[in-house]
Every structure is written in C-alpha cells, then in structure tokens.
Amino acid sequence: MADERLGLLQAVLLQLASQDYDVRVPVTDARDELDAIGVGINLLAEELGHERSGRARAQALLSDAVEAYEGAPAMFCSVEGPERIIVKCNRTMAALLGVPGDALLGRSLPSLAMAPTKMFAALEHVATHGGQASEVFWLHLGGDPLPVRLAAVRVSGGLLGRLQVVLRDARADLRAEEHERERQKMRALAELSGGVAHDLNNLLAVMTMVSSAARDVDQEELHELLEDLDAAVRGGTNLAQRLLAVSVESMERLLVDPTCAVRTAGRLARRAASPTVAVSVLVPDSLPAVSVDPSELERVVLNLVTNGLEAMPHGGSLSIEADLVDGLVRVRVSDTGVGMDPATRVRAVDPLFTTRPHGNGFGLALAFSLCERAGGALEIQTAEGEGTTVELRLPTPSRRGAA
Amino acid sequence: MPETVELQKGHVHRCDDGIIEVIWNDDVCVEVVDIEEVLAAEVSLMGERATVLVDARRVRTMSRAAQRLTAEHPVSERTDAVAILVDGPVSRMLGNFFLSISRPRYPTRLFADPTEARAWLRSHCG
C-alpha cells in the first residue's frame, strides 16, 4: 500500500516537473506523513500554477506596453547624460525621421535640432517644471526638417539623469495655424475689397453715364479724351470685378460639373503654350458637381494655367488634371518650372503679392478664397528649380453634408 | 453580543480571556468562502483588536487562495497574534506552508499544546 502511494507521489512529481500544474495528489484518511507530503505537493502545484498564470498576464501586459511604446502616434525616446544622448527610441521616431532606429542611438537629441541650444534649454525646463515646451523645434537628419513639439519627464538620476522625452509631429498644427492665418487675412481683405468695390462701382457708373452723354458732342478732341476715359473706366470696372470676386457676399454659387472649367482651361493652355511646353490634360467625362461660381472656377483654373506657363520661360511640361478622391473633387495644375523659394511659398496666397512684373497678385489668392468658400482646401507643393503643383480640393455636396 | 458564531465548517467563539477561537470541524477542506465566513465572524466578536487561536488539527486541506486571504485580509491589521493548533503531519504541513508562503503580517506560531498556545497569545494581548 505504501509503495503504491509512493509511486503515486512520484508520478505527480514527474507531472509537475513537466509543468503540468493542474495535477493533484489524492489525500487519504490516514493523515500520515505521506498525506502530509501530498498536501504539500498540492499546495506547491497551486503556487506554481498561480505564478505561471501571473507571469503570462505580466508578459501579455509587457507586450502590450512595448507595442504601445513602439507604435504610439508620438515619438518617444530616452536620453541621458550632459549631452542628452539618445539611449532608446521608439519605431515611430525612427519612421518619422526616416532613419533606422539604431541610427539614432548614441546621438545627442538636441544636436538633431536646427536650434540645439534652445532645444537643450527647453528639454531641461519641461523636465523640471512639467508641461510642454511652447516652441516648435525642427529636427533635421538630412531629409525634410520635421517640426516637433516637446515634453519630457525626469525618470532617474539627478539633473543629468535619464529623461523620457515625448516628441509630437507638429506638421498638422503648423498647417492648421498657417491655414487660420490665411483665412483671417482673406476675411480682412474680403471686407476691405467689398467696401472698396462697392464705392468704385458707383463711381464708375457715374463716369460711364458722363462718357456716354459727352459722346454726343461733336468735337474731335473731346471724343479722343472720352475714348481715354472709356479705357480707364473699363480698367476700373475690371479691377472692381476682381475685388468683388474676393468678397464673400458677391459670389453666385451653383452646382456645376468642374470638368467644363478644366477642359476650357486645357484648350486655352494648348493655344497659349509656347512650342517648348508640352501640355497634357487629364479629365474624366464627368465629375460630381461642386458648389462654386462657375465663371470664378474657370478664371481660377485659367490663372493657375497662366502661372504655370509663365514659370517655364525655357520650356517644360504643364499638366492639368481633375479627379475624385475620397469624396473631394481634385483639380491639379502642375508645371516643371522655376518653383518657389520658401519665402515666396509662405506669401503665395496673399492678395496683391506677386513676383511677376505684370502680375496682379490675385491668382492664387482667388484660388484660395474659392476653395475656402466651397469648404475645401488649397495645397501648394513646390521646390525651387523643380516646379509647382497647385491642387484645389472641392467637396461635393454629399461630402459637405457628411462633414 | 453573541459569544459564538456557528459556521458551515466550524465555529468561532469569543473566550472569557478575550481570545477568539476558530475551531474547524473534522476533515474539512477549507476554501475562500469558508475563510470569508470566519473573518466576518471574527469581526463581529472582536473588539478593537484581538488574538486568535485556530484549531486546525482536523483540517484535511486548505486551498492556496484561502491561505492568502487569511494572511492578507484587512482584519489582519487588527490582529495582534495568531496561534495555530496542529497535531499531525498534515495539519503541521498546512501550518508551515501558511507561515512560509503566505507570510501573515501578524505574529504567528504553530502549537501542539492548547495551553501553551493560550499562554503565548496572552503575552501578545494589547
């Protein structure tokens, strides 16, 4: 009997050794030493099973935490020492900076910034006082500089101990800020131009009436003067119409298929382009209607075409395309011309800003205004010496309703 | 105030000297629910603080979770000491496991003799 019970204990121990912690020793009524060992083995098996499930839970949590760290939408890194050397960084950081993760290790974080001293000071300040640095820093590793916002927590050591740093991609923030600035400028200009255009129109109406009445006087010299006056009136009227076009209240909105405006611009572009410019037009048969003033849309696309042609004095290619992407009608005019330098790009949609001797500075401002009023957006991609693409994104009514 | 609380697998009694006695019935397997009953009974019988004598001599086995609850329940903060009566290899094994694995926060000792156990508990009163 004792041999049998010993054999059972041995079998249970072997199962425990193979990590089967659910096994138990049956306890008899004898309550002798073998039962005591059996009770001990059972309690030990419970401990081991509990520890194993606890370890599995901890590993799952750790794995979740690692994935959350690596794939977080923000950039995380740990820095230490007086140079604030990166000792660990997440996958997001490497991806956004366009380098392998280990290429960042061992480098000083502030040295990656275009203003290292300022970034170093900001890092220490937020690590000591908490919060987020108010400035935007530009990280630069050879590719496009990346604007980031910075927060940090001191996790170990003294003043020069380890910091956990959070860097957030600030491109969307900057775009939104720029967008808001442009919108405010356009609002101010719209108010101004509306008022000016109204007064100017009244004045021109009077001038036209006077001109018409004076034409009846049969004096050759007077007639010539009046011709000049007519020309001035026409110029003024044209200016007033352009000013009015920027004013929100003046617009006539219709639901129109944008392909007509784009095709018209394409035809004119082919006629106007020099032989050294290749013009391509890619427009589907039809597109969903967008809510704009049709003549304004045509004028805007023509302006973009004119800008593109003038940007290629030595030839190149101009493409005009329209399509539907994610419920937005997209009209793109691309050229391979001189492109814009950063300063020009910043002011490109400012009304009255122009780099051309005979430009009036309304082309891109009108385009921006049209997109804004249609609930869309204007995007300019440009590089000096490489060309420019201007993209109008105009929501269809269903998309606007959904938004 | 009742002096004795009857439970499914035993009873809890408040002695004249203030010691709370927990007496398990013959051949019981103690689980978490049983410990919850015991601890509730202890709370109803004890004053501000208490010393506890547990008669585990006839216990057949006690689960790990029951041992942990015994050691970690908030009532342990009001327990000055616990003496556990054991008299055979099984109850001694259970007692030793409780002491070494669950590590109760209050002074705990195993005794074979009830008189010695009571004397030790009295030395821990207050």
Side-chain angles (χ1 to χ4, degrees):
Chain A
M1 185 64 183
D3 283 352
E4 193 181 316
R5 291 172 68 197
L6 277 172
L8 188 62
L9 287 176
Q10 193 178 24
V12 169
L13 284 170
L14 285 172
Q15 273 187 269
L16 283 179
S18 66
Q19 299 188 355
D20 173 5
Y21 302 142
D22 295 328
V23 66
R24 295 290 180 271
V25 178
V27 178
T28 72
D29 294 333
R31 294 173 183 263
D32 55 9
E33 299 291 345
L34 288 181
D35 276 332
I37 292 170
V39 165
I41 289 173
N42 289 346
L43 286 169
L44 191 62
E46 272 195 80
E47 279 298 327
L48 291 170
H50 186 265
E51 195 170 313
R52 179 167 64 184
S53 54
R55 201 167 49 235
R57 272 196 304 275
Q59 274 171 347
L61 283 173
L62 181 64
S63 170
D64 289 350
V66 167
E67 187 45 41
Y69 174 86
E70 290 293 345
M75 292 172 273
F76 291 135
C77 66
S78 301
V79 299
E80 62 184 22
E83 305 291 321
R84 292 311 183 199
I85 299 294
I86 299 171
V87 293
K88 184 167 173 51
C89 71
N90 71 346
R91 203 166 56 221
T92 307
M93 184 165 179
L96 280 173
L97 292 174
V99 292
D102 52 8
L104 293 169
L105 304 183
R107 298 189 64 168
S108 158
L109 175 63
S111 77
L112 304 180
M114 294 169 87
T117 312
K118 275 180 81 174
M119 188 182 198
F120 187 89
L123 201 54
E124 300 312 307
H125 185 268
V126 293
T128 305
H129 299 98
Q132 178 178 269
S134 54
E135 310 97 307
V136 168
F137 294 97
W138 292 80
L139 299 186
H140 187 44
L141 269 88
D144 289 340
L146 179 71
V148 295
R149 291 198 187 277
L150 166 75
V153 181
R154 205 177 297 281
V155 289
S156 68
L159 279 176
L160 297 178
R162 182 177 289 212
L163 304 182
Q164 179 66 51
V165 182
V166 184
L167 300 165
R168 200 166 51 77
D169 181 353
R171 282 179 296 190
D173 288 0
L174 294 184
R175 273 199 299 271
E177 286 167 14
E178 187 187 5
H179 196 249
E180 185 53 32
R181 274 197 303 275
E182 286 169 354
R183 189 153 52 190
Q184 283 175 4
K185 275 191 285 189
M186 290 306 294
R187 267 199 205 121
L189 184 80
E191 282 174 19
L192 175 71
S193 64
V196 170
H198 181 262
D199 293 350
L200 187 57
N201 254 345
N202 288 344
L203 188 59
L204 292 170
V206 172
M207 290 165 76
T208 306
M209 277 193 300
V210 170
S211 166
S212 178
R215 201 182 292 274
D216 296 337
V217 179
D218 188 17
Q219 293 178 23
E220 192 177 334
E221 192 178 351
L222 179 60
H223 191 78
E224 281 175 15
L225 285 172
L226 289 175
E227 286 294 333
D228 291 345
L229 179 60
D230 266 349
V233 168
R234 280 196 298 277
T237 305
N238 192 19
L239 174 62
Q241 280 171 349
R242 282 200 304 239
L243 282 168
L244 273 169
V246 185
S247 170
V248 174
E249 291 76 11
S250 69
M251 301 314 301
E252 179 195 12
R253 290 243 192 109
L254 294 172
L255 279 175
V256 293
D257 180 347
T259 53
C260 301
V262 179
R263 277 200 202 88
T264 304
R267 276 196 303 276
L268 292 172
R270 284 206 168 95
R271 276 203 289 274
S274 73
T276 55
V277 173
V279 177
S280 68
V281 181
L282 196 61
V283 185
D285 290 342
S286 70
L287 281 169
V290 291
S291 174
V292 292
D293 177 339
S295 62
E296 188 192 12
L297 178 61
E298 194 173 301
R299 199 159 57 242
V300 161
V301 181
L302 268 174
N303 280 337
L304 300 182
V305 165
T306 307
N307 288 351
L309 292 175
E310 291 190 2
M312 298 183 290
H314 307 298
S317 57
L318 180 84
S319 76
I320 307 159
E321 297 167 45
D323 55 10
L324 182 69
V325 177
D326 296 333
L328 292 169
V329 167
R330 207 169 56 158
V331 178
R332 290 159 63 93
V333 178
S334 304
D335 66 69
T336 55
V338 294
M340 301 179 203
D341 60 33
T344 304
R345 165 64 192 91
V346 167
R347 299 193 58 197
V349 299
D350 284 0
L352 307 176
F353 174 77
T354 181
T355 54
R356 290 172 298 157
H358 304 296
N360 58 25
F362 275 107
L364 283 171
L366 273 179
F368 178 78
S369 170
L370 177 137
C371 292
E372 276 282 291
R373 281 178 279 115
L378 174 93
E379 187 168 310
I380 301 173
Q381 291 165 1
T382 185
E384 220 172 344
E386 292 178 17
T388 300
T389 296
V390 181
E391 183 173 300
L392 314 179
R393 291 185 201 145
L394 303 169
T396 57
S398 61
R399 165 94 180 199
R400 289 191 78 162
Chain B
M1 186 192 283
E3 293 297 300
T4 302
V5 178
E6 292 295 335
L7 308 173
Q8 292 271 338
K9 295 181 181 175
H11 65 272
V12 181
H13 174 69
R14 181 186 162 88
C15 305
D16 292 339
D17 55 6
I19 292 173
I20 305 285
E21 271 186 346
V22 179
I23 300 165
W24 292 107
N25 295 343
D26 277 4
D27 212 25
V28 292
C29 296
V30 181
E31 300 294 344
V32 166
V33 63
D34 306 315
I35 295 300
E36 285 171 347
E37 270 192 341
V38 165
L39 293 170
E42 274 184 34
V43 169
S44 72
L45 294 175
M46 73 197 296
E48 284 288 302
R49 306 190 65 76
T51 50
V52 182
L53 176 65
V54 180
D55 187 345
R57 287 175 291 190
R58 304 307 299 158
V59 170
R60 187 182 184 86
T61 187
M62 185 176 185
S63 72
R64 175 195 179 277
Q67 293 197 12
R68 286 293 160 98
L69 180 61
T70 306
E72 292 165 6
H73 192 275
V75 80
S76 66
E77 302 288 342
R78 293 161 59 191
T79 304
D80 288 325
V82 173
I84 302 172
L85 287 176
V86 293
D87 72 349
V90 171
S91 58
R92 192 168 291 280
M93 173 67 81
L94 283 170
N96 280 322
F97 240 90
F98 178 65
L99 291 183
S100 56
I101 304 296
S102 297
R103 297 171 195 268
R105 286 174 245 181
Y106 38 76
T108 310
R109 256 183 78 177
L110 306 184
F111 292 91
D113 178 5
T115 309
E116 278 181 33
R118 284 183 175 281
W120 181 76
L121 284 176
R122 276 194 291 274
S123 73
H124 282 83
C125 277

